[in-house]
Amino acid sequence: MTTETDQTPAMTTAPPVALHKVLAGQKALVTGANSGIGKGVAIALGQAGADVVVNYVDGDDAANAVVAEILTFGVKAYAHKADVSSEAEVAAMFGKMFDQFGTIDILVSNAGLQRDAPFQEMTLDKWNKVLSVNLTGQFLCAREAVREFLRRGIVPATSSAAGKIICMSSVHQEIPWAGHANYATSKGGIRMMMESLAQEVAPHRIRVNAIAPGAVRTPINTSAWQTKEAYDQLMTLVPYGRIGEPEDIARAAVWLASDHSDYVVGTTLFVDGGMTLYPGFATGG
Ligand code: BGC
């Protein structure tokens, strides 16, 4: 008797690439995509079949290298230098994207920075810089994307949603962070902006969600992982016992951008190795 299993070719290698092209034909913009998490996300979206705009503000060569890597997947990509905290530069960036790609389906608002200082020494410049890039930058980009999603509506052949926005937040939207009040405040703000916007545009089938990474090996936090002492100290905060890699976040972003997460609306996906589980309580309390 022939069973179903007998007729199925043995799957000893990865499934055919087409199965991974969950974002085929979609147009994505990733801000801060020349390094770290943004770079990982931009590459993964391209690998999943999306055409990608690689936004950056410093480092032409790094941005061009990300574009070159994305092009190897047979999709389109180009780099666009723009400061996400500038209303005019953001408008111009979206205008060019519409010229080049016709529209936008996926926005990953990732650009962010830290300017740390003890509270009593924090300058207004440091405060404003972090809030304007991390929070206002996400507002400006989301506003342009929402305008286009509302104008265009759903294209069923592309996606069951009229558009997807992924806000890159942080565990520090929940965990207070001494010495980083500007950064934690910006991430707390992202949470509430994301949820308010998600509630507002969900009836138009626009999905807005966030990813909250924990400690990920990127240039923003080299001091937290570069030496053995720092890494060991960091691990006391990570129950899963390893640092995150940009690919950990990138895989979450592909899922949130795809129809596989079609009923996921206004949520924050924590990708943090358990950092938000109060690891200090594993032995205390
Ligand atoms: C920060 C990193 C930090 C991590 C965990 C991130 O949002 O940018 O510097 O290592 O949170 O604390």
Side-chain angles (χ1 to χ4, degrees):
M1 194 185 137
T2 310
T3 65
E4 225 175 288
T5 320
D6 291 332
Q7 292 169 341
T8 310
M11 190 70 84
T12 50
T13 56
V17 169
L19 289 181
H20 295 302
K21 300 286 183 189
V22 287
L23 304 179
Q26 302 204 40
K27 318 295 178 193
L29 166 63
V30 184
T31 66
N34 58 326
S35 75
I37 290 173
K39 172 182 174 180
V41 169
I43 290 168
L45 296 184
Q47 194 164 24
D51 296 330
V52 186
V53 179
V54 173
N55 160 260
Y56 69 105
V57 69
D58 286 320
D60 301 351
D61 291 350
N64 291 332
V66 174
V67 168
E69 191 164 346
I70 295 171
L71 291 175
T72 65
F73 304 124
V75 296
K76 295 180 192 147
Y78 67 88
H80 186 105
K81 181 171 179 155
D83 175 355
V84 294
S85 68
S86 157
E87 187 172 29
E89 289 183 36
V90 168
M93 175 165 68
F94 277 79
K96 181 171 172 198
M97 183 176 183
F98 301 153
D99 282 348
Q100 299 284 312
F101 288 174
T103 189
I104 182 169
D105 302 291
I106 300 160
L107 166 66
V108 182
S109 257
N110 166 81
L113 44 77
Q114 290 181 215
R115 294 285 183 274
D116 311 327
F119 200 84
Q120 68 278 11
E121 287 161 26
M122 187 169 289
T123 60
L124 183 58
D125 270 359
K126 281 189 171 180
W127 178 267
N128 284 339
K129 180 74 179 169
V130 170
L131 268 292
S132 62
V133 172
N134 295 13
L135 183 56
T136 306
Q138 291 216 11
F139 157 66
L140 291 171
C141 291
R143 191 180 59 173
E144 295 297 328
V146 164
R147 286 174 178 164
E148 171 64 5
F149 297 158
L150 291 173
R151 183 201 65 76
R152 190 204 56 225
I154 300 171
V155 180
T158 305
S159 172
S160 41
K164 283 88 53 163
I165 296 176
I166 299 168
C167 301
M168 202 56 71
S169 185
S170 162
V171 290
H172 297 297
Q173 73 169 36
E174 300 291 333
I175 303 176
W177 205 13
H180 308 75
N182 48 357
Y183 183 83
T185 302
S186 73
K187 297 300 182 176
I190 286 169
R191 177 196 165 173
M192 207 32 92
M193 185 196 73
M194 181 280 285
E195 292 181 4
S196 300
L197 176 59
Q199 188 190 65
E200 188 168 331
V201 298
H204 300 280
R205 289 284 167 87
I206 297 168
R207 297 196 297 113
V208 187
N209 291 287
I211 298 174
V216 178
R217 192 194 309 272
T218 74
I220 207 173
N221 62 353
T222 43
S223 63
W225 51 263
Q226 247 179 354
T227 65
K228 186 182 175 333
E229 295 69 38
Y231 189 87
D232 290 347
Q233 176 63 28
L234 181 63
M235 286 308 106
T236 67
L237 300 174
V238 185
Y240 204 60
R242 71 164 172 86
I243 194 168
E245 304 293 345
E247 293 73 23
D248 290 308
I249 310 303
R251 282 189 283 264
V254 170
W255 181 73
L256 275 178
S258 78
D259 284 355
H260 289 193
S261 61
D262 189 53
Y263 207 49
V264 179
V265 175
T267 202
T268 298
L269 179 54
F270 285 81
V271 184
D272 68 351
M275 193 176 237
T276 37
L277 295 174
Y278 296 98
F281 279 79
T283 52

